[in-house]
């Protein structure tokens, strides 16, 4: 492709992107295809000769797009958002054109120094003290793994990497059932093992970790000769938005000298609003904290903000400096590959820089506040509806509910898989709500996901997509009620 052809197709791609975002609200939110439907339309062997871009773009629309779930749809209320925005998209164009591998300072000094500055902006925006330093990771999962590896090394006197874990002490990590499964995965990868992830009971309206139970678990492990290595505190859990009492948990961590990592992957973005910071009180005492601007700060995936109190502990754990990866003659520069598990690094800071500068902090706050307000409004409407039950109160913009028409059984011991049960009767609330969820998502007007809460199958609703309006929230509620009524009389 020559330069002028590239220019033409780059313009075409930009126009396609704008057209897509303008019309995404008219598409079904979740892909409406069957398993294998896209695969069957793709040739089994690669083309021997190049094909014209016109044909490729045509197949993008004909083959690929029907199989896409539209995360930028204004009625996407499933999981958590993976937000984009026009400034972020423009920055992604530039990042792709530069195609820089930003593993060392010298491989792109601007990428390193922009990341340092933008991460300090984020630190200020969420109210962390100056003694935290930040790095952009690929995901909260990667940041949590990096944190637990650091905690492991600190607990072992930084000998684990050198000598291995065989024959060493039994390490323990503490968290509630409300933390994300990435904690389970990190415990496995770090060599600590599933059996040593200690689940602490939760208490209170925010379903937070019980600090007294945590203290007792640590004491019991010490008496048994085990080594407490880390506590993972939850700020806005994926299921129902559970929040641990971080200040009390931090006091236990400090009392016992245990590493504390705060997982605020979704909710952390809302901490740019000072009125929500009660949820993170005590985070300033943590050893590390992660949140994802790519969830709720209008910045394309992937962009995960990882803050650490002691960068040297992180780089002593993850850093390697073979001769070919040294920046010569530039002592004191930051090489962010030593802060991350992968060696290779994209120029992720550029899109965050574009977003913060383009919107400004106040506009970002206003967008998040609106999402929280609309979620709370809808939760109140659902709570007042006699055919529905609010199963967890809103935490920021996330709550859960279920359909519970009068006379329906609680469905104790019922099957809870999606599509469980047969018929449209309301004799089994778990099965009924599983069917309701599938029909909502098949309908296409909105998209929700489920969780288990109080041993019940419940539907999650979170507001956070960049272009969502109050009208979109209410349209989703209209669709839910309409489909539920059809189940009831079906």
């Amino acid at each position: 492709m020559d330069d002028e052809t590239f220019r033409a197709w780059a313009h075409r791609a930009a126009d396609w992107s704008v057209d897509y975002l303008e019309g995404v609200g008219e598409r079904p939110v979740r892909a409406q295809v069957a398993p294998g439907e896209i695969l069957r339309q793709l040739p089994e062997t690669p083309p021997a000769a190049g094909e014209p871009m016109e044909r490729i773009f045509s197949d993008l629309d004909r083959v690929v797009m029907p199989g896409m779930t539209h995360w930028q749809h204004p009625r996407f209320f499933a999981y958590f958002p993976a937000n984009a925005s026009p400034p972020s998209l423009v920055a992604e164009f530039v990042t792709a054109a530069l195609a820089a591998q930003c593993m060392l300072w010298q491989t792109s000094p601007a990428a390193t120094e922009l990341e340092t500055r933008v991460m300090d902006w984020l630190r200020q925006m969420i109210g962390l003290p100056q003694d935290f330093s930040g790095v952009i990771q690929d995901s909260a999962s990667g940041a949590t793994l990096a944190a637990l590896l650091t905690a492991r090394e600190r607990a072992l006197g930084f000998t684990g990497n050198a000598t291995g874990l065989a024959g060493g002490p039994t390490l323990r990590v503490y968290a509630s059932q409300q933390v994300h499964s990435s904690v389970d995965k990190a415990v496995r990868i770090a060599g600590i093992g599933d059996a040593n992830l200690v689940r602490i009971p939760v208490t209170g309206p925010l379903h937070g970790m019980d600090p007294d139970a945590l203290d007792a678990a640590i004491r019991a492990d010490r008496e048994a000769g085990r080594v407490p290595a880390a506590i993972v505190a939850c700020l806005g859990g994926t299921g129902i938005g559970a929040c641990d009492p971080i200040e009390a948990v931090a006091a236990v961590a400090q009392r016992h000298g245990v590493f504390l990592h705060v997982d605020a992957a979704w909710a952390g973005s809302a901490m740019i609003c000072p009125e929500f910071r009660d949820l993170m009180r005590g985070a300033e005492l943590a050893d590390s904290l992660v949140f994802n601007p790519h969830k709720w700060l209008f910045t394309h995936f992937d962009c995960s903000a990882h803050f650490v109190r002691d960068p040297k502990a992180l780089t002593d754990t993850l850093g390697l400096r073979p001769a070919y990866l040294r920046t010569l003659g530039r002592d004191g520069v930051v090489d962010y590959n030593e802060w991350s598990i992968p060696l290779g690094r994209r120029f992720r800071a550029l899109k965050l820089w574009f977003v913060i500068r383009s919107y400004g902090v106040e506009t970002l706050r206003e967008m998040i506040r609106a999402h929280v307000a609309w979620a709370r409004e809808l939760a109140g409407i659902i709570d007042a509806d006699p055919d529905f039950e609010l199963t967890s109160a809103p935490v920021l913009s996330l709550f859960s509910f279920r359909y519970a028409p009068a006379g329906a059984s609680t469905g104790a011991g019922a099957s809870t898989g999606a599509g469980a049960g047969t018929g449209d009767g309301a004799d089994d609330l778990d099965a009924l709500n599983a069917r309701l969820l599938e029909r909502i998502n098949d309908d296409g007007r909105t998209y929700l996901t489920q969780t288990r809460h109080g041993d019940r199958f419940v539907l999650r609703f979170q507001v956070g997509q960049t272009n969502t309006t109050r009208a979109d929230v209410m349209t989703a509620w209209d669709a839910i009620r309409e489909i539920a009524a059809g189940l009831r009389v079906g």
Side-chain angles (χ1 to χ4, degrees):
M1 183 182 291
D2 60 35
D3 289 347
E4 287 310 308
T5 305
F6 171 49
R7 186 186 305 277
W9 281 104
H11 282 287
R12 171 80 172 268
D15 289 341
W16 185 97
S17 300
V18 174
D19 290 344
Y20 167 72
L21 293 173
E22 282 184 341
V24 67
E26 304 304 315
R27 298 173 183 261
V29 189
R30 192 179 75 168
Q32 304 291 297
V33 298
E37 188 173 331
I38 305 301
L39 185 62
R40 285 191 294 272
Q41 298 179 70
L42 301 172
E44 294 184 1
T45 57
E51 299 181 58
M53 286 293 291
E54 192 70 52
R55 184 185 304 166
I56 297 170
F57 250 79
S58 175
D59 285 348
L60 169 66
D61 291 327
R62 182 182 63 85
V63 178
V64 176
M65 294 306 293
M68 294 303 298
T69 290
H70 301 290
W71 288 71
Q72 305 314 311
H73 198 293
R75 291 189 299 280
F76 184 103
F77 300 114
Y79 303 106
F80 286 126
N83 273 342
S85 64
S88 178
L89 182 55
V90 171
E92 283 284 75
F93 290 161
V94 176
T95 300
L98 291 171
Q101 216 282 43
C102 305
M103 57 185 178
L104 305 171
W105 177 87
Q106 69 174 340
T107 61
S108 281
T112 296
E113 296 183 17
L114 187 64
E115 183 165 341
T116 299
R117 181 62 70 212
V118 166
M119 288 302 293
D120 194 62
W121 285 1
L122 277 186
R123 176 195 63 77
Q124 296 173 52
M125 288 165 64
I126 67 170
L128 280 179
Q130 290 184 346
D131 56 348
F132 280 86
S133 301
V135 57
I136 300 178
Q137 307 281 21
D138 56 355
S139 65
S141 298
T144 294
L145 175 56
L148 290 190
L149 289 170
T150 304
R152 183 197 75 186
E153 286 304 292
R154 196 175 84 170
L156 295 174
F158 290 88
T159 62
N161 281 341
T163 63
L165 306 184
T170 299
L171 302 178
R172 304 284 266 182
V173 174
Y174 309 86
S176 81
Q177 287 286 357
Q178 296 292 337
V179 297
H180 191 267
S181 59
S182 60
V183 176
D184 301 65
K185 183 176 287 189
V187 164
R188 289 181 176 186
I189 298 172
I192 294 169
D194 290 346
N196 295 307
L197 177 53
V198 182
R199 299 294 188 177
I200 305 300
V202 300
T203 185
L206 293 176
H207 305 277
M209 192 188 311
D210 183 339
D212 292 336
L214 172 65
D215 184 82
I218 292 173
R219 291 180 187 277
D221 278 335
R222 282 248 163 86
E223 290 173 4
R226 296 182 283 262
V227 177
I231 303 165
V232 181
C234 182
L235 175 55
T238 300
I240 57 166
C243 294
D244 290 328
I246 298 174
E247 189 170 44
V249 169
V252 175
Q254 291 190 327
R255 186 180 311 137
H256 294 285
V258 179
F259 189 101
L260 174 59
H261 174 64
V262 176
D263 181 1
W266 158 66
S269 293
M271 299 304 104
I272 69 171
C273 303
E275 67 268 30
F276 299 142
R277 288 184 193 157
D278 280 353
L279 294 173
M280 70 175 286
R281 185 182 297 119
E284 69 279 1
L285 304 174
D287 294 285
S288 67
L289 177 146
V290 62
F291 80 95
N292 290 334
H294 66 233
K295 279 193 170 72
W296 203 9
L297 212 56
F298 317 106
T299 303
H300 279 76
F301 184 85
D302 54 351
C303 185
S304 189
H306 183 196
F307 292 96
V308 297
R309 183 182 297 281
D310 181 6
K312 186 175 185 300
L314 179 64
T315 58
D316 283 354
T317 300
L318 301 181
L320 289 169
R321 286 199 169 189
Y324 51 80
L325 288 180
R326 293 176 183 169
T327 296
L328 303 178
R330 295 290 189 273
D331 293 340
V333 300
V334 174
D335 289 331
Y336 277 121
N337 76 87
E338 297 185 336
W339 297 51
S340 303
I341 292 166
L343 171 61
R345 307 189 82 248
R346 299 180 66 243
F347 190 2
R348 299 186 186 99
L350 190 68
K351 57 195 171 190
L352 195 54
W353 188 57
F354 269 51
V355 167
I356 296 172
R357 292 190 63 189
S358 180
Y359 286 108
V361 177
E362 282 304 320
T363 297
L364 296 173
R365 286 173 176 157
E366 289 169 7
M367 295 167 76
I368 287 174
R369 286 167 176 151
H371 293 162
V372 172
W374 299 331
R376 289 175 176 174
E377 181 182 4
L378 180 56
I381 292 170
I382 291 174
D383 197 31
D385 191 307
D387 285 336
F388 286 83
E389 177 186 0
L390 190 68
T391 52
S392 64
V395 176
L396 299 170
S397 67
L398 169 66
F399 62 89
S400 69
F401 70 99
R402 66 176 181 167
Y403 182 42
S409 164
T410 58
S415 173
T416 57
T422 59
D424 284 334
D427 59 341
D428 177 334
L429 285 184
D430 277 1
L432 177 66
N433 279 273
R435 292 196 300 276
L436 173 60
L437 179 65
E438 280 303 295
R439 295 195 182 187
I440 288 169
N441 293 337
D442 288 344
D443 174 79
R445 281 175 285 176
T446 189
Y447 184 26
L448 306 183
T449 45
Q450 77 286 341
T451 191
R452 297 286 299 175
H453 178 54
D455 199 29
R456 296 181 294 179
F457 183 99
V458 299
L459 281 63
R460 298 171 66 260
F461 196 104
Q462 67 77 30
V463 184
Q465 203 284 324
T466 306
N467 298 311
T468 294
T469 65
R470 180 183 177 278
D472 291 309
V473 174
M474 296 306 156
T475 296
W477 172 232
D478 289 342
I480 292 165
R481 283 191 303 172
E482 175 191 319
I483 295 165
L487 281 178
R488 186 177 184 181
V489 301

